[in-house]
């Protein structure tokens, strides 16, 4: 297949293929479940992944200069539809594993700054699929950036500083960061900043339940019932 030079054309093709397998009932369910006025095409992750893989192969995307790949990803994440946004995340997950670490974290940071990620579903998928492995790789760029994100006014960027720790394999190595980030977020008013704390403490309770108990006690004035329920899920 002749490879077009216009990334917009490739993006349009990819988004069109996702649209073609959409399910209106599934779209309505996801929009109601996630809230935040999201728009869905009603397409599952396996279908999105297959489409991304085929487009990547057809257009030989991984052979392109990184600047061209970034142009494509920026166009996808700018879509109003959840599935198009997820396709950008899936592309990075499939093709940028352990490469472009600096470019990756800066690209994601820019997405948050431009408010292209503004719901918990896309935010958390990105955290689990991209940021958690980057924490495990222990790159300085990633941990330094997450420290900056933790105090950001954008609630989704702040949330993304902590959520990936819940799924990283090296959680036991990051007690100090988990505590530092959790203290910052638990004191914020936004529900989704607070719930990030509950989810990470839930996982950390498997390692050190005493730490979780002390945290909930010390910062009880800022916790909610939802946070406590999540954080103590694995307590006897």
């Amino acid at each position: 297949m002749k490879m077009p030079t216009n990334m917009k054309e490739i993006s349009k093709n990819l988004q069109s293929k996702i649209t073609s397998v959409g399910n209106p009932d599934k779209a309505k369910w996801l929009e109601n479940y996630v809230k935040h006025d999201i728009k869905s095409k009603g397409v599952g992750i396996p279908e999105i992944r297959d489409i991304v893989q085929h487009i990547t192969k057809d257009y030989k995307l991984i052979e392109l200069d990184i600047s061209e790949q970034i142009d494509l990803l920026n166009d996808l994440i700018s879509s109003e539809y959840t599935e198009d946004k997820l396709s950008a995340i899936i592309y990075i997950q499939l093709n940028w594993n352990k490469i472009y670490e600096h470019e990756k974290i800066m690209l994601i940071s820019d997405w948050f700054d431009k408010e292209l990620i503004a719901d918990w579903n896309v935010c958390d998928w990105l955290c689990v699929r991209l940021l958690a492995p980057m924490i495990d790789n222990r790159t300085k760029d990633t941990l330094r950036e997450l420290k900056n994100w933790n105090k950001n006014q954008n609630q989704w960027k702040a949330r993304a500083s902590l959520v990936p720790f819940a799924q990283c394999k090296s959680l036991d190595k990051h007690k100090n960061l988990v505590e530092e980030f959790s203290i910052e977020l638990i004191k914020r008013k936004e529900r989704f900043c607070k719930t990030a704390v509950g989810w990470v403490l839930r996982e950390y309770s498997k390692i050190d339940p005493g730490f979780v108990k002390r945290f909930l006690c010390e910062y009880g004035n800022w916790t909610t019932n939802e946070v406590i329920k999540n954080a103590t899920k694995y307590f006897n």
Side-chain angles (χ1 to χ4, degrees):
M1 177 181 293
K2 183 179 179 181
M3 184 172 60
T5 57
N6 190 335
M7 293 298 103
K8 193 80 173 180
E9 182 180 339
I10 300 177
S11 176
K12 184 178 179 180
N13 188 11
L14 195 157
Q15 293 180 55
S16 177
K17 288 183 180 298
I18 294 176
T19 302
S20 70
V21 296
N23 182 316
D25 290 335
K26 183 182 287 188
K28 185 177 296 185
W29 178 88
L30 186 66
E31 290 170 355
N32 184 62
Y33 179 65
V34 176
K35 311 299 184 185
H36 301 294
D37 296 322
I38 70 157
K39 286 190 175 183
S40 171
K41 296 180 177 181
V43 182
I45 295 299
E47 293 93 338
I48 300 173
R49 184 182 293 110
D50 285 345
I51 291 170
V52 169
Q53 288 176 323
H54 282 116
I55 290 290
T56 300
K57 181 178 179 181
D58 288 346
Y59 291 108
K60 300 180 180 179
L61 295 181
I62 58 177
E63 297 179 15
L64 298 179
D65 185 82
I66 186 175
S67 63
E68 294 181 286
Q69 295 181 54
I70 287 175
D71 285 342
L72 171 63
L73 296 171
N74 280 334
D75 197 70
L76 292 172
I77 203 73
S78 298
S79 171
E80 61 182 341
Y81 288 97
T82 290
E83 290 81 0
D84 298 337
K85 293 178 182 292
L86 292 177
S87 72
I89 297 169
I90 290 171
Y91 178 88
I92 295 175
Q93 180 192 7
L94 292 175
N95 301 305
W96 286 11
N97 185 30
K98 294 186 178 180
I99 61 173
Y100 303 140
E101 293 292 307
H102 175 74
E103 291 83 356
K104 193 186 307 183
I105 193 68
M106 299 314 297
L107 177 63
I108 295 170
S109 180
D110 188 55
W111 288 349
F112 281 114
D113 290 342
K114 292 179 179 177
E115 299 185 352
L116 299 174
I117 299 173
D119 68 84
W120 65 263
N121 181 43
V122 174
C123 178
D124 290 6
W125 182 265
L126 183 151
C127 287
V128 171
R129 300 299 175 177
L130 300 185
L131 295 177
M134 292 171 72
I135 292 173
D136 287 332
N137 292 341
R138 298 179 69 83
T139 58
K140 293 181 179 179
D141 279 349
T142 299
L143 296 179
R144 182 169 56 246
E145 270 299 301
L146 293 182
K147 280 195 172 189
N148 293 332
W149 295 11
N150 187 237
K151 294 179 172 61
N152 197 276
Q153 291 185 345
N154 182 314
Q155 68 165 320
W156 303 113
K157 192 170 191 178
R159 176 182 174 85
S161 72
L162 183 60
V163 166
F165 286 93
Q167 295 298 318
C168 70
K169 298 175 182 177
S170 56
L171 177 58
D172 61 322
K173 306 286 195 307
H174 299 290
K175 179 179 180 179
N176 290 340
L177 283 181
V178 167
E179 183 173 19
E180 176 186 338
F181 291 2
S182 295
I183 291 171
E184 182 71 27
L185 294 189
I186 200 64
K187 293 180 179 179
R188 291 181 59 145
K189 295 180 180 179
E190 300 99 331
R191 174 194 173 194
F192 287 98
C193 286
K194 291 181 180 294
T195 56
V197 177
W199 290 356
V200 174
L201 291 183
R202 177 188 64 199
E203 298 306 313
Y204 206 86
S205 71
K206 300 174 185 177
I207 302 169
D208 186 352
F211 166 78
V212 175
K213 291 177 182 177
R214 290 191 296 273
F215 184 95
L216 293 175
C217 181
E218 186 170 354
Y219 298 97
N221 289 338
W222 291 280
T223 59
T224 63
N225 289 335
E226 186 177 23
V227 171
I228 295 171
K229 181 179 180 180
N230 282 320
T232 60
K233 180 178 180 179
Y234 298 124
F235 284 12
N236 293 327

